[in-house]
Amino acid sequence: MSSRMTASPQAEKPALKVLLCSPRGFCAGVVRAIDAVERALAVYGPPVYVRHEIVHNRYVVDGLKAKGAVFVEQLDEIPDTDAPVIFSAHGVPRAVPKEAAARNFFALDATCPLVTKVHREAEIHFRRGREIVLIGHAGHPEVIGTMGQLPADAVVLIETLADAAVFTPRDPVKLAYVTQTTLSVDDTAEIVDLLKRRFPAIIGPHKEDICYATQNRQEAVKLVAPRVDAMIVVGAPNSSNSQRLKEVAERAGCTRAVLLQRAGDIDWAIFGALKSVGITAGASAPEILVEQIIDAFAERYTVDVENVSAASEDVFFPLPRPLRDSEAAE
Ligand code: SF4
């Protein structure tokens, strides 16, 4: 347990217990993706092109832009160049590396290895003649990337229990499922249970597709949310795992759960009269944003911070190979 006391006059400030979820914030895949861009900038110099936000966080993206990264949504926005072109942690459809190769781009793939694992699973199912159900959210770049590993009719997207209830496979004994890595563990378990009841022969992953970071952050929120008056999830609205953390907090009994991008977004009409608040951060949110939020509370309250840990993490992913090699060469 640690505590953070504010400058005098403390007596005039009400007390606030801050329960800090652990783990929170950056996962190994996000660290690797950001390091890949920074390393590429250091080795090759700017510009370094990045397809899509490298991770879903404006603070991170703006920081990399300031160092010379150029973010694009599609490769056709990039002029002919020798500069590195990096694919984001969410993964890309096969057409993207193909297009990069056709244009002789120096492509560096920062797809998280745990997303690549899902791509490989889907490919194996496809080769074995199975129809594939992908449980995930339409339009999310990871879902677009996973579906884009295979021909258009090979993968069926299921977003909800209602979708699972009406899904009709081509052949119920040649069926498999994979999932997005950043889903709600509990919602996904319900969907998988329903699919297994309806199609007992359906084949799933050997090891959970929802990644360790998503699971651990949700577990920590489940410990904290029932103990606090309000819960803050630091993360971007387009960050799937951050949105799920907010939902998990609500489901765990916290009626005031909000997703915030930065301290300046705190609505003091909601957060101005609390006895306790829980704080976590999505896998793409840097710790400095959490610190700034605690500092904002410390200006109004006498703050006592307690760490609540659901797991310890020591996962590390090495950089994409060309960047690893450049590191070794130094
Ligand atoms: S949230 Fe999970 S799958 Fe996504 S980048 Fe992080 S470790 Fe990889």
Side-chain angles (χ1 to χ4, degrees):
M1 183 185 295
S2 67
S3 67
R4 173 189 298 233
M5 298 299 180
T6 58
S8 62
Q10 290 180 9
E12 291 167 15
K13 296 182 186 176
L16 180 73
K17 184 83 179 173
V18 174
L19 298 189
L20 204 48
C21 294
S22 174
R24 65 180 173 277
F26 280 4
C27 59
V30 161
V31 168
R32 174 178 183 265
I34 296 168
D35 283 355
V37 179
E38 290 190 330
R39 184 81 202 145
L41 284 164
V43 174
Y44 305 105
V48 165
Y49 292 93
V50 184
R51 185 187 178 277
H52 194 65
E53 291 185 340
I54 186 75
V55 299
H56 285 155
N57 190 276
R58 180 109 320 260
Y59 182 93
V60 171
V61 167
D62 286 347
L64 293 171
K65 265 187 198 167
K67 293 178 185 171
V70 177
F71 290 85
V72 298
E73 280 309 307
Q74 301 300 338
L75 296 187
D76 61 14
E77 296 165 50
I78 303 174
D80 290 337
T81 179
D82 294 334
V85 177
I86 302 185
F87 305 147
S88 78
H90 313 95
V92 290
R94 286 209 163 190
V96 172
K98 218 169 146 186
E99 183 186 345
R103 292 192 58 197
N104 288 320
F105 283 156
F106 172 33
L108 295 167
D109 190 356
T111 302
C112 176
L114 299 181
V115 174
T116 304
K117 163 190 168 289
V118 178
H119 292 178
R120 296 292 93 83
E121 278 167 14
E123 271 170 16
I124 290 168
H125 292 312
F126 180 70
R127 282 207 302 272
R128 294 186 179 164
R130 297 173 188 139
E131 184 178 6
I132 299 153
V133 169
L134 168 61
I135 304 170
H137 296 291
H140 189 278
E142 183 185 324
V143 164
I144 294 168
T146 301
M147 296 187 85
Q149 300 304 305
L150 296 169
D153 59 349
V155 184
V156 176
L157 181 64
I158 283 189
E159 295 188 81
T160 61
L161 262 181
D163 291 347
V166 298
F167 166 62
T168 307
R170 285 196 298 262
D171 179 351
V173 298
K174 281 196 167 175
L175 193 59
Y177 74 88
V178 295
T179 84
Q180 196 177 333
T181 57
T182 50
L183 299 179
S184 151
V185 172
D186 297 336
D187 286 351
T188 308
E190 285 179 15
I191 293 173
V192 168
D193 283 351
L194 178 56
L195 288 171
K196 284 182 174 169
R197 279 201 305 278
R198 293 190 62 213
F199 314 112
I202 194 168
I203 294 171
H206 291 299
K207 188 175 179 300
E208 207 53 66
D209 288 336
I210 298 176
C211 76
Y212 78 96
T214 300
Q215 295 190 36
N216 289 344
R217 282 150 190 69
Q218 289 180 16
E219 282 309 308
V221 165
K222 284 184 196 171
L223 295 179
V224 165
R227 295 176 54 194
V228 291
D229 298 334
M231 189 84 207
I232 290 175
V233 178
V234 185
N238 61 343
S239 159
S240 170
N241 79 87
S242 303
Q243 289 286 5
R244 303 296 82 78
L245 290 174
K246 176 176 175 284
E247 292 167 8
V248 167
E250 287 163 344
R251 205 173 288 180
C254 183
T255 49
R256 280 187 285 183
V258 298
L259 188 62
L260 290 183
Q261 303 215 60
R262 62 187 79 80
D265 295 344
I266 299 173
D267 179 354
W268 293 108
I270 299 174
F271 290 97
L274 301 174
K275 298 235 173 321
S276 58
V277 65
I279 303 179
T280 187
S284 44
E287 184 65 7
I288 189 170
L289 300 178
V290 173
E291 288 169 5
Q292 288 170 354
I293 284 174
I294 296 174
D295 287 345
F297 276 105
E299 283 174 16
R300 293 166 182 255
Y301 292 95
T302 300
V303 165
D304 177 27
V305 181
E306 178 186 338
N307 250 309
V308 178
S309 175
S312 60
E313 293 179 346
D314 58 1
V315 179
F316 168 77
F317 297 131
L319 286 171
R321 186 161 294 283
L323 295 172
R324 231 184 298 166
D325 293 345
S326 75
E327 207 168 32
E330 275 185 358

